[in-house]
Each structure stands twice: as structure tokens, then as C-alpha cells.
Amino acid sequence: MTIGDNGFIKELNYKTVLDTIRTKGAVSRADVSRLTGLTRSTCTVICDRMLKQGIIIETGTVGSTGGRPPILLQINNRAGAVLGLKMMEDMIAGATVDLGGNIIQQQSWEMRPGLDMETYLPRFEEFVQDIIGKHRNSYPLIPMLGIGIGVGGRVSSDGVLIKSSVLGWRDVSLKKRLQKRFSMPVHIENDVNTFAIGEKFFGAGVHYENFLSLSVGEGIGLGIIIDGKLFAGSHHGAGELGHTRISFDSQAPYCTCGKQGCLESFTSDRAIIGMYNQETGKTFQINEIIQKASEGDPHALKVFKIMGRYLGIAVSSLVNIFDPQAVIIGGERTNASQFFIKELSTAMQENTVYDLAKDVDLIVLEPSNNEWIRGVAALAIREFFSATTNWRQ
Ligand SMILES: [Zn+2]
């Protein structure tokens, strides 16, 4: 379609209105007109169509200075649900999520680590079947619209798992296989990218067009949102921040990728455990080191400060390159952010050129076990919303 094409403009207007209602919450038709710049009559036609389709609902009225109080519109969260899934070596987890990002049901199955693909995938499919079956039994009126899957590794734009260091597989046509098996759209993405998409769609990034999401924990991952969209790179491999080399010292620690001196080998959980061991000669698990930091152990506090400084320097380079509106920090290690965020912030400010970091919002997410669900669900829901103009017509 080309610009000027009537159908194209109608579709664009529909998406603009839908996106406005979705991101602004309860709004009146007049608000929609004001926020989108579309005429009142165009907005009314589009909103009436959405009401008929069941994708939005009228939620009540607001006080008015005179005349009839305006009726508010919002997304009908229960107009559909998606299934978000996470594939890990020792566990598969899934949740059905409504269009507002609210979890309806969730479950997980343990897996025996080291399973080959031929054993893992049938078990995974059994899991998916089980959770879909439960959803259909409990919520027959909420249609299942699609599946979103997050996995550690490199995933192509057409849903081929090119390489997963987590699962040890290569070149698996996951999307094709699962779409055939479950007869619904399947979207697969690298788990760090799903985190960025989730924040843009439901989370701290909703009102930013350009931001970076940094995932901190076992590894260091980067998601890049530019002009409101994920930037995945020319070969779907962008964001490997953890494996940028930051030390050329021949004694620099080895990284899980096999190379030496990567950022990750100074900032991941494994690095913190290693640094603590160097400081004290003792080996503890990451949660024990966090506990020690919270009790004031100077060695534990020191290693988190070093880690924060390394991360802050890395973030300053990113700010120099991308000039983002915000940097959002998530991942498991946000549960220790109080021990490293000050150093991260200072290093970011000190090492950025032209004071670029001054106006960058540094946001640390609350530690949550369910952060991933928002990401994988958003993967499927955003596709639904962008394809929704023809829904139930
Ligand atoms: Zn590496």
C-alpha cells in the first residue's frame, strides 16, 4: 500500500486510535480526538467499530463542566489472551496473559538439564498443550490469540533458533514447528529483547521512544528500542553488550563465550562470586554475597561497587552512541541494586561526553520473578494489536 491510499489511511487511523486508548488508559472520545489530531467524527466512527468488535469497552463517565458527562473508553483486556513461554535448560514456564498484561494463569515444569532437542521439544509441546487446555476449560470466552516465547540465544526474524548457548541447540525452526502444531501465531525472540519489548509495551518504557534496557544477573544483556521499535540488528544479533571486550590484559578473566576480558566477566554473578573469592579466599553463592552486603560486609560492598562502576562505564558508552531518553535496569540482580546503582550512575555521568547523560532517566525496576512474562506476552500481544484492524469483522 502507498501513502494516500484510502485503505492505508483508514488502517493507520485505526492503529493510532487503538494505540492511544491502549497507552493512555480510560479516555473520552474527545480525548482521543485531541491526542491523535483526528477529527471528532473520524474518532467516533473508529471507536464505534472497535466497540462493535469488542476490543474496547465503555467504562463509565467523568465529571463535566456542563452538558452530558463524556463516556470513557478503554481496552477490553479480556477480549483475548496470549500464552507467554520461557524455555530454560532446567525448567519451562508459561503464563496466559490478558490484553492488559495481567496474568490469568501460570505454571512451570521442571526439566532434566542437558536434554537433547528430540526429547526436550515433545515435552515442551506437551506443556503448551496442557496450559492451553486449562485455559480453554477455565476461560472458554477468552480466545487464545497467539504464543510468545523468550529464549536465551540468537533467534532469526523468522523464528529460527540459530544458536542457543542455554539449550545447546542450533538452527531449529521453532516458530514453524509450533505454529503447525498449535494452529495459532507464534513469536519467538531472544529473552533480553523480549524484556525491552515488554517494557515498551506495558512497563517503564511506555512513554519513551528511545531507550535501552539492561538486564543484569547471570549475564549482561542489552535491548535497544529506537523510534518505539526494537532494533535487532542486521543479523538479529544486536545487543551483545556483555561480550564487548573491555580488557586487553593477558590476565583478564575468561568469559562464558570463551573469549577473555568481556564486560560480563567483570559484572555478571559469576564475576561477583570470583571477585569476592579473590578478596577473601572464600567462595559463596551470589545470594550469600548479597546477604553479606546487606549486613555491611566491606568485601561484599566493595565487589558490588566495582561491578557498578564497570557497568556505569559501559552504559556511558551506550549513552554516547545512542543518546537515549532512558536506561532501564532489570534482571535478577536488581535485588542488589542498592549496592551498585550509585556507582553505576556516577560512572555513567562522569564518562559521557557533552553531559549527554544529564537528561537520561536511569530507572531501576523492582525485583520481580514475573518480569519475563510481561516481555513474552508483549511479543504476542503487540502483533495482535498491529494486525487487529481486521479482527472479528
Ligand atoms: Zn564473552
Side-chain angles (χ1 to χ4, degrees):
M1 272 185 256
T2 54
I3 304 261
D5 181 316
N6 200 25
F8 175 78
I9 291 175
K10 267 191 182 161
E11 191 182 326
L12 195 66
N13 289 346
Y14 185 103
K15 279 181 185 160
T16 308
V17 170
L18 186 62
D19 222 40
T20 303
I21 300 174
R22 194 185 68 72
T23 53
K24 299 290 175 192
V27 282
S28 68
R29 285 172 176 79
D31 292 333
V32 175
S33 169
R34 186 174 47 79
L35 291 163
T36 58
L38 297 170
T39 64
R40 283 290 292 272
S41 61
T42 302
C43 288
T44 301
V45 169
I46 295 173
C47 292
D48 287 350
R49 187 169 148 217
M50 288 175 182
L51 282 165
K52 226 178 264 171
Q53 288 174 319
I55 195 160
I56 60 170
I57 46 173
E58 292 180 330
T59 58
T61 55
V62 278
S64 171
T65 47
R68 211 154 43 118
I71 296 164
L72 298 181
L73 304 165
Q74 71 174 43
I75 294 292
N76 176 12
N77 287 343
R78 295 287 164 118
V82 298
L83 171 57
L85 295 155
K86 184 155 126 170
M87 301 170 86
M88 291 163 286
E89 194 194 12
D90 57 351
M91 196 207 292
I92 38 184
T96 49
V97 178
D98 73 16
L99 295 183
N102 308 300
I103 295 169
I104 303 173
Q105 285 182 318
Q106 72 182 107
Q107 67 180 42
S108 59
W109 285 3
E110 278 184 19
M111 298 291 269
R112 191 158 44 82
L115 287 182
D116 58 25
M117 193 188 79
E118 287 74 19
T119 320
Y120 188 104
L121 275 184
R123 182 89 177 127
F124 179 72
E125 286 171 342
E126 202 186 315
F127 176 84
V128 175
Q129 191 60 60
D130 184 68
I131 200 164
I132 290 176
K134 282 180 184 153
H135 175 82
R136 285 184 177 150
N137 280 337
S138 312
Y139 301 92
L141 298 178
I142 307 179
M144 187 70 86
L145 304 169
I147 297 174
I149 303 175
V151 60
R154 200 172 143 211
V155 182
S156 77
S157 52
D158 53 356
V160 175
L161 182 56
I162 299 169
K163 189 183 176 189
S164 170
S165 45
V166 182
L167 298 165
W169 308 344
R170 270 175 184 278
D171 300 320
V172 187
S173 299
L174 260 185
K175 176 179 172 141
K176 211 167 142 195
R177 173 173 171 149
L178 297 173
Q179 279 193 164
K180 200 170 160 208
R181 173 82 164 73
F182 297 106
S183 308
M184 65 176 88
V186 175
H187 308 280
I188 302 171
E189 187 51 89
N190 164 279
D191 52 3
V192 176
N193 285 345
T194 63
F195 165 46
I197 293 167
E199 290 311 309
K200 173 64 195 149
F201 208 80
F202 295 123
V206 166
H207 301 295
Y208 298 114
E209 289 302 299
N210 299 303
F211 71 86
L212 304 169
S213 61
L214 205 65
S215 157
V216 183
E218 212 175 302
I220 304 296
L222 172 70
I224 305 160
I225 299 286
I226 297 177
D227 291 339
K229 294 196 174 70
L230 177 78
F231 175 77
S234 308
H235 311 94
H236 228 76
E240 289 297 345
L241 177 71
H243 301 288
T244 47
R245 193 162 182 187
I246 59 159
S247 170
F248 296 103
D249 191 326
S250 61
Q251 300 302 309
Y254 276 90
C255 179
T256 48
C257 71
K259 296 191 171 63
Q260 215 178 345
C262 294
L263 175 68
E264 203 162 289
S265 58
F266 292 90
T267 53
S268 68
D269 289 350
R270 211 167 68 109
I272 293 165
I273 292 167
M275 283 193 282
Y276 191 84
N277 176 276
Q278 271 189 348
E279 283 283 314
T280 63
K282 292 174 192 155
T283 300
F284 291 98
Q285 294 304 306
I286 187 70
N287 287 332
E288 294 171 315
I289 299 174
I290 295 169
Q291 179 61 32
K292 285 179 183 296
S294 62
E295 288 162 4
D297 175 346
H299 304 293
L301 291 170
K302 183 179 168 187
V303 296
F304 275 114
K305 280 184 181 170
I306 295 171
M307 172 259 201
R309 185 153 176 76
Y310 274 118
L311 272 183
I313 290 169
V315 170
S316 75
S317 301
L318 294 173
V319 171
N320 283 342
I321 296 166
F322 290 101
D323 183 21
Q325 294 164 289
V327 174
I328 299 172
I329 314 267
E332 253 190 309
R333 220 41 68 221
T334 48
N335 68 353
S337 64
Q338 70 268 37
F339 305 124
F340 66 78
I341 199 65
K342 195 163 161 268
E343 276 66 29
L344 192 161
S345 174
T346 306
M348 174 180 94
Q349 296 292 343
E350 282 177 358
N351 294 284
T352 317
V353 76
Y354 306 133
D355 282 339
L356 272 178
K358 193 163 58 73
D359 298 318
V360 175
D361 297 335
L362 184 64
I363 299 165
V364 184
L365 300 181
E366 287 292 319
S368 155
N369 291 328
N370 289 334
E371 208 173 73
W372 67 272
I373 296 176
R374 196 157 60 182
V376 284
L379 199 61
I381 293 176
R382 81 179 172 152
E383 295 295 334
F384 164 72
F385 275 116
S386 66
T388 203
T389 44
N390 296 316
W391 195 53
R392 284 188 180 173
Q393 286 191 105

